[in-house]
Amino acid sequence: MTTGDIRPRSGDDNTRFRLTVVDQALRLFAEQGYEATTVEEIAEAAGISRRTFFRQFRSKEDVIFADHESQLAQAAEFLAAHGEDPWETVCEAVVQVFERFTQWREIAARRYRVVRRVPALREREIVTVFRYERLFTDYLRDRLPEEPDLARVQYTAAVTATHNYLLRRMVRGESDAGAADLRVELAAIPRGARRPAADELVVAVFPRDTPPRQVADLVARKLGSL
């Protein structure tokens, strides 16, 4: 063990510990390059031993996406504790993920710059995004078994893509969008299969020789008075 080796604790302390290591690793990757940076250098910068590093992370690649593990775990806990409106619960879980990334904005920005330079990391990022989608889709399958599966998959893909779009614009310095903006965009995404309600059905009967323009005018007036 190195002098002053920092040992992770549980809960929030462990999250902060891991974020410290992630932050130092991303800094080194940005300065030296991903391939040129060693695990020993990351451990030294974070004030931990090589052994402690490998107790928390399996590889350099894992440390880049380590905060996502915490995000996924917290999102799963939130989903398990809520469900009155499953569609809204998924939206709120996505918003909470976004809010935490805004708190760690510099880490998110550094990762974006590093990942853009390394093809293998871009592939890992795609897999990570899919894990969020799968988490949300499995939740909707459990809570809304009557919904068509395609509707659930389309919804989780849309909310995840919306989150990622706003997050990427934020880390690139192109937008100051916050959680409120994300909520507005998520609310506009259709929820579930579109089924016409019984009271949305309108039947109109006209003589065969009624001019089309007159039919249109009469229908417009009648609908306007409903």
Side-chain angles (χ1 to χ4, degrees):
M1 183 183 298
T2 60
T3 303
D5 189 16
I6 302 172
R7 285 186 174 274
R9 299 178 183 178
S10 59
D12 291 341
D13 286 341
N14 189 50
T15 298
R16 282 193 292 270
F17 163 79
R18 289 170 67 85
L19 284 174
T20 296
V21 181
V22 171
D23 186 45
Q24 292 300 322
L26 289 171
R27 179 182 62 80
L28 290 171
F29 294 153
E31 293 174 357
Q32 303 178 175
Y34 174 73
E35 297 296 342
T37 301
T38 66
V39 166
E40 287 75 16
E41 288 174 320
I42 296 170
E44 182 178 356
I48 61 175
S49 67
R50 188 175 187 275
R51 177 179 296 180
T52 297
F53 178 93
F54 281 113
R55 278 202 298 264
Q56 293 291 312
F57 314 101
R58 290 175 297 179
S59 65
K60 291 193 300 181
E61 183 176 307
D62 278 352
V63 77
I64 291 179
F65 298 98
D67 54 323
H68 279 292
E69 298 302 323
S70 173
Q71 290 275 34
L72 285 160
Q74 292 182 71
E77 290 176 5
F78 179 83
L79 294 174
H82 299 79
E84 184 173 337
D85 180 345
W87 306 107
E88 185 59 33
T89 298
V90 168
C91 283
E92 188 56 34
V94 171
V95 169
Q96 290 187 11
V97 170
F98 185 84
E99 288 181 320
R100 285 190 288 270
F101 276 131
T102 60
Q103 295 169 8
W104 313 331
R105 182 175 303 197
E106 184 53 36
I107 288 178
R110 284 180 180 172
R111 176 172 47 233
Y112 176 81
R113 292 191 291 268
V114 170
V115 169
R116 296 284 72 75
R117 301 172 189 167
V118 184
L121 297 180
R122 290 200 295 271
E123 293 174 6
R124 172 66 179 270
E125 185 178 52
I126 292 171
V127 172
T128 301
V129 169
F130 176 72
R131 291 178 65 193
Y132 284 97
E133 291 184 24
R134 184 173 60 188
L135 172 66
F136 300 140
T137 300
D138 287 347
Y139 168 78
L140 291 178
R141 283 172 177 153
D142 180 63
R143 299 303 175 94
L144 297 171
E146 73 285 356
E147 287 289 340
D149 200 48
L150 180 59
R152 295 186 292 246
V153 171
Q154 288 175 329
Y155 185 74
T156 57
V159 298
T160 305
T162 301
H163 168 277
N164 292 342
Y165 174 79
L166 291 180
L167 179 64
R168 288 191 182 107
R169 292 201 67 204
M170 180 189 73
V171 299
R172 290 195 299 253
E174 299 172 357
S175 170
D176 291 325
D181 302 289
L182 177 57
R183 282 192 173 94
V184 169
E185 299 300 332
L186 294 178
I189 299 173
R191 302 181 179 192
R194 300 183 67 83
R195 306 182 184 91
D199 59 0
E200 291 179 349
L201 182 63
V202 177
V203 177
V205 180
F206 298 93
R208 184 186 297 274
D209 59 351
T210 305
R213 182 180 294 277
Q214 185 179 354
V215 170
D217 290 343
L218 288 170
V219 170
R221 284 202 294 270
K222 287 295 183 181
L223 290 176
S225 65
L226 292 179

